[in-house]
Amino acid sequence: MDDEYMEAIAQAKANLEDIRERGTEALMSWDEIEAKYFTPEEIAASELRAELMWELSNARHERGITQRKLEELSGVKQPVIARMENGTNSPQLDTVLKVLGALGKTLAIVPLERAKEV
């Protein structure tokens, strides 16, 4: 389902860009398309993955290390780290934990209400 979701997003964005390039107003905004074609659960899962991958990338940049150095520290191959950071894959939890650990970070389970406040 993740691959299908990512393909649908890419296709929808490409379609919108094509419409804009032709000088025609888009019939629907991205939010409208997303709401029409994806369930709230799919949207929430995608947003959570995107946020997690952004946090991973940001933590690496804050530490001032390259993806190659992170490979050395975590044991996770650099191409996997690159795909994680650019959102082209949905990594296994063990992989995420290895990378986070190497960055001095971990995951926390918090109530959804608290997560929205943070």
Side-chain angles (χ1 to χ4, degrees):
M1 180 166 59
D2 289 333
D3 290 337
E4 290 175 20
Y5 182 76
M6 295 305 290
E7 279 182 39
I9 288 173
Q11 185 60 49
K13 287 181 178 179
N15 289 344
L16 284 174
E17 186 60 33
D18 183 51
I19 289 169
R20 287 188 183 108
E21 285 177 7
R22 294 178 191 205
T24 307
E25 289 294 321
L27 299 176
M28 289 189 281
S29 70
W30 172 246
D31 290 338
E32 291 169 328
I33 291 169
E34 192 175 47
K36 181 175 181 177
Y37 292 104
F38 302 106
T39 66
E41 293 80 13
E42 289 173 321
I43 294 167
S46 176
E47 289 173 352
L48 180 60
R49 277 191 305 275
E51 180 68 20
L52 178 59
M53 296 310 110
W54 184 88
E55 290 291 343
L56 280 172
S57 178
N58 192 46
R60 181 177 65 78
H61 288 288
E62 284 177 353
R63 296 260 326 257
I65 60 175
T66 64
Q67 290 178 349
R68 286 270 180 231
K69 182 63 177 175
L70 186 53
E71 173 184 25
E72 293 173 22
L73 296 171
S74 68
V76 175
K77 299 291 185 190
Q78 181 274 327
V80 174
I81 293 168
R83 288 190 300 269
M84 287 171 63
E85 288 186 4
N86 68 28
T88 57
N89 78 342
S90 189
Q92 295 288 319
L93 181 59
D94 288 348
T95 304
V96 172
L97 292 173
K98 285 179 186 177
V99 171
L100 284 172
L103 293 168
K105 306 279 185 178
T106 191
L107 289 177
I109 298 174
V110 297
L112 286 175
E113 296 77 30
R114 181 171 165 216
K116 291 177 185 174
E117 293 171 7
V118 175

